[in-house]
Amino acid sequence: QSALTQPPSASGSPGQSVTISCTGTSSDVGGYNYVSWYQHHPGEAPKVLIYEVSKRPSGVPDRFSGSKSGNTASLTVSGLQAEDEADYYCNSYAGGRNFVFGTGTKVTVL
Amino acid sequence: EVQLVESGGGLVQPGGSLRLSCAASGFPFSRYWMTWVRQAPGKGLEWVANIKDDGREKSYVDSVKGRFTISRDSAKNSLYLQMNSLRAEDTAVYYCARDCGHGRLDPWGQGTLVTVSS
């Protein structure tokens, strides 16, 4: 149950795109299409952005998109806005009814 | 409105116990898996435990196995986390979340702070 690996930080100017990676193993990210992504503004409840690798819940802007290749999932935020500055976490099913989060990425809008 | 409200956090000494509650409203609680997630100060999110809609299946992260017990009461629309033998490293904000399927956690509560310290 080791945490999935994310870069500690990412940044971009307003309007630019930023992509966050989430690397696991064949026992979690690579083994299932059950990767979700969460946005967390400190002091608030985390919010789901993407589920099942690339599906977007209603109400989430299409600026947020997800994908997966092998053992690595990715979240892309296009058209960065000031309110996108937050912490982002991936989460994957890891078998046996267990799940595991990524280490988290702090996104800064320059 | 779908809502989750945690309670029961506080300051407890190492080795002590605490029971967290999560009151659910606005959805058919008995039809959903539920999950506890925690965030230690300055750290990332950590998946802690989950429980099947009927309460018959439960799973835990290795670090809390044998110490924490997740349970639910559908009559009260409530989720619980009984935490025993608490350690300093259990200090965290604990969130409950509804699992909408395959780990899609939505929504989350606002969290309750547990501090383990002498």
Side-chain angles (χ1 to χ4, degrees):
Chain A
Q1 293 177 324
S2 298
L4 308 175
T5 301
Q6 297 180 231
S9 62
S11 63
S13 299
Q16 290 187 331
S17 295
V18 65
T19 296
I20 302 166
S21 61
C22 169
T23 301
T25 69
S26 58
S27 296
D28 37 62
V29 175
Y32 310 93
N33 287 322
Y34 299 140
V35 175
S36 51
W37 288 89
Y38 300 86
Q39 180 189 61
H40 189 202
H41 289 104
E44 298 182 8
K47 171 188 171 184
V48 62
L49 297 174
I50 297 290
Y51 66 100
E52 293 178 16
V53 176
S54 60
K55 297 179 181 179
R56 209 170 33 248
S58 60
V60 174
D62 59 8
R63 302 186 295 105
F64 295 93
S65 61
S67 62
K68 191 186 87 166
S69 177
N71 295 338
T72 298
S74 298
L75 172 73
T76 297
V77 185
S78 305
L80 268 175
Q81 298 181 5
E83 58 263 36
D84 297 334
E85 187 160 295
D87 297 319
Y88 291 81
Y89 295 89
C90 60
N91 176 274
S92 174
Y93 182 61
R97 302 188 302 275
N98 294 310
F99 290 83
V100 60
F101 278 97
T103 49
T105 299
K106 182 177 181 60
V107 169
T108 301
V109 180
L110 302 172
Chain B
E1 178 193 4
V2 176
Q3 193 171 18
L4 298 171
V5 179
E6 302 94 337
S7 61
L11 175 63
V12 60
Q13 293 188 337
S17 298
L18 212 54
R19 187 198 198 202
L20 305 184
S21 299
C22 171
S25 60
F27 67 98
F29 179 72
S30 63
R31 295 186 187 177
Y32 289 86
W33 284 69
M34 296 294 294
T35 294
W36 286 100
V37 176
R38 67 183 178 183
Q39 184 175 36
K43 303 294 185 182
L45 299 177
E46 180 182 35
W47 182 89
V48 175
N50 66 1
I51 184 169
K52 195 173 182 287
D53 47 11
D54 61 5
R56 295 184 178 184
E57 295 180 29
K58 307 173 185 181
S59 196
Y60 302 90
V61 67
D62 285 348
S63 59
V64 308
K65 281 180 181 175
R67 300 188 300 122
F68 289 13
T69 302
I70 188 172
S71 63
R72 63 193 297 161
D73 184 336
S74 290
K76 295 183 178 180
N77 285 347
S78 291
L79 174 72
Y80 305 103
L81 187 67
Q82 177 66 44
M83 305 185 294
N84 299 330
S85 302
L86 282 161
R87 307 166 179 167
E89 53 265 36
D90 296 318
T91 294
V93 174
Y94 285 74
Y95 298 95
C96 66
R98 180 181 67 170
D99 189 335
C100 294
H102 303 133
R104 174 187 170 187
L105 301 179
D106 182 27
W108 298 52
Q110 288 294 323
T112 186
L113 176 62
V114 172
T115 302
V116 184
S117 174
S118 54

